[in-house]
Amino acid sequence: MAEINEQNDLYPSMDDIEGLEDAILDREEDSLEREEDQDDATEGIGELGRSRRKNKRKGRKSRRKSNRKNAVRRSYNAGAKSTAVKTGLTKDLTSKGQFELRRQQLPPEVQKALKDARMQTVDTAIYTVKSIKDKSDIDLMEASDDKKAGRTNLNRAQLDSGKYLLLTDIILEYAHGSEEADNDPSDFAFGQFALPPAILNGTFEMTLGTKVIVPEISCAVFDDSDTSKRKFQYKLANPKWLKPSMDITPKLNMPKAVTGDDIHNPAVKVTLLGTVTEKA
């Protein structure tokens, strides 16, 4: 399987910047040329005068292009070394924006398929519902999982072949039945219950194969006290790639199982949000 190069700087290429500047310069020159043509017509300048002006325009454009290129290169090189600039590039970006910023990290064949419109990028929300009754340590996605509405939309805890997902957010929700007969988590109203202390005081971690995607962190990051975001959502400051055909293993580790007189068949739902590649 082709590797993702996550070492690439999160910074546009020089070619991208120069191409943008050339396009801006061309628009400026076109505007100036139209104005000068209007002046020529008004002043009644003949063909010889117009030819001379055209040659001057070419020289002016060449000088401006050279000067702008030098200025862009100086600014680019300074920005490429600036932590502040790189941090600013990622601020408040959507999942799609984060994906585009990291597109060059994808395998070459995937980049080409996206460029040729044989593949596209789409929003995704992968989820799995798991019972946590009488459990304190739970694998939230397992190789034995099969797609089933209300349970999971992922087979074998792996992305399908050819799909690459940039994970930007993780949501952890909790629910339980109102009586012992309520034992089907697919019927539960996830997101309506506050996370119980057993979960909040526990930890969450996630791996892709043997690679750490999210290290062991406090489940308090999923608390719903921050009203500026969706409830129970943890936004990754450092989005991570999930590659196809590799085990995605989020784990919940609690100090003790969730219990209570009015708590029947407790369960959790983990949702992975991001942007994924799909066939066009």
Side-chain angles (χ1 to χ4, degrees):
M1 181 189 302
E3 289 297 313
I4 289 176
N5 180 10
E6 292 195 49
Q7 299 305 312
N8 284 3
D9 287 339
L10 300 182
Y11 202 65
S13 71
M14 178 68 81
D15 289 342
D16 291 339
I17 298 298
E18 286 187 347
L20 179 60
E21 288 296 323
D22 283 345
I24 293 172
L25 180 59
D26 286 341
R27 286 198 297 271
E28 291 175 356
E29 287 294 329
D30 288 343
S31 178
L32 287 172
E33 189 170 340
R34 285 194 297 272
E35 291 177 5
E36 290 174 353
D37 283 342
Q38 290 174 354
D39 290 342
D40 290 349
T42 301
E43 296 171 11
I45 295 176
E47 289 299 323
L48 180 59
R50 291 182 181 182
S51 178
R52 288 175 178 172
R53 281 203 175 187
K54 188 174 182 180
N55 289 333
K56 286 183 178 180
R57 288 171 188 158
K58 286 182 179 179
R60 178 188 65 200
K61 184 175 182 180
S62 178
R63 290 191 298 274
R64 290 185 70 202
K65 189 170 185 177
S66 177
N67 291 338
R68 184 167 293 192
K69 180 177 287 189
N70 290 334
V72 166
R73 286 184 179 273
R74 287 194 297 270
S75 298
Y76 179 91
N77 290 331
K81 299 174 183 177
S82 168
T83 300
V85 169
K86 293 178 183 178
T87 303
L89 284 170
T90 65
K91 185 179 180 181
D92 297 328
L93 282 181
T94 62
S95 176
K96 169 68 172 175
Q98 294 282 10
F99 185 100
E100 291 301 325
L101 196 60
R102 293 165 171 79
R103 181 192 284 248
Q104 75 277 10
Q105 297 174 348
L106 288 166
E109 64 272 16
V110 178
Q111 294 186 52
K112 189 174 189 311
L114 288 167
K115 183 178 180 181
D116 296 342
R118 290 181 285 110
M119 295 187 77
Q120 61 176 325
T121 56
V122 296
D123 296 335
T124 192
I126 294 173
Y127 77 94
T128 299
V129 171
K130 290 286 183 181
S131 168
I132 59 172
K133 182 179 179 180
D134 300 325
K135 299 177 182 177
S136 58
D137 300 317
I138 307 99
D139 286 344
L140 300 177
M141 292 184 179
E142 301 176 279
S144 59
D145 292 342
D146 290 317
K147 286 184 181 180
K148 183 179 180 182
R151 292 288 185 157
T152 183
N153 60 350
L154 193 66
N155 277 326
R156 304 178 304 281
Q158 295 183 352
L159 293 175
D160 292 340
S161 177
K163 291 188 178 182
Y164 289 81
L165 187 159
L166 185 67
L167 176 67
T168 57
D169 303 83
I170 302 172
I171 298 168
L172 184 67
E173 298 169 303
Y174 162 79
H176 62 77
S178 58
E179 55 185 48
E180 188 58 37
D182 295 333
N183 58 7
D184 185 354
S186 64
D187 292 333
F188 293 170
F190 287 96
Q192 305 302 311
F193 292 78
L195 297 178
I199 292 180
L200 285 176
N201 294 328
T203 61
F204 176 92
E205 59 184 299
M206 192 169 85
T207 57
L208 178 71
T210 59
K211 181 179 180 179
V212 174
I213 298 297
V214 178
E216 194 173 32
I217 58 174
S218 169
C219 285
V221 299
F222 297 106
D223 197 3
D224 63 346
S225 57
D226 184 355
T227 58
S228 67
K229 61 181 180 63
R230 175 174 169 173
K231 285 186 174 183
F232 315 115
Q233 179 177 355
Y234 171 54
K235 188 173 188 64
L236 276 66
N238 183 18
K240 289 292 184 181
W241 288 106
L242 302 184
K243 297 188 290 187
S245 305
M246 295 187 69
D247 292 339
I248 302 170
T249 312
K251 294 183 178 181
L252 176 62
N253 302 303
M254 300 182 293
K256 61 180 180 180
V258 176
T259 57
D261 293 339
D262 298 326
I263 298 175
H264 303 280
N265 305 304
V268 294
K269 178 180 182 180
V270 62
T271 305
L272 309 181
L273 300 179
T275 297
V276 68
T277 56
E278 284 279 0
K279 290 182 179 179

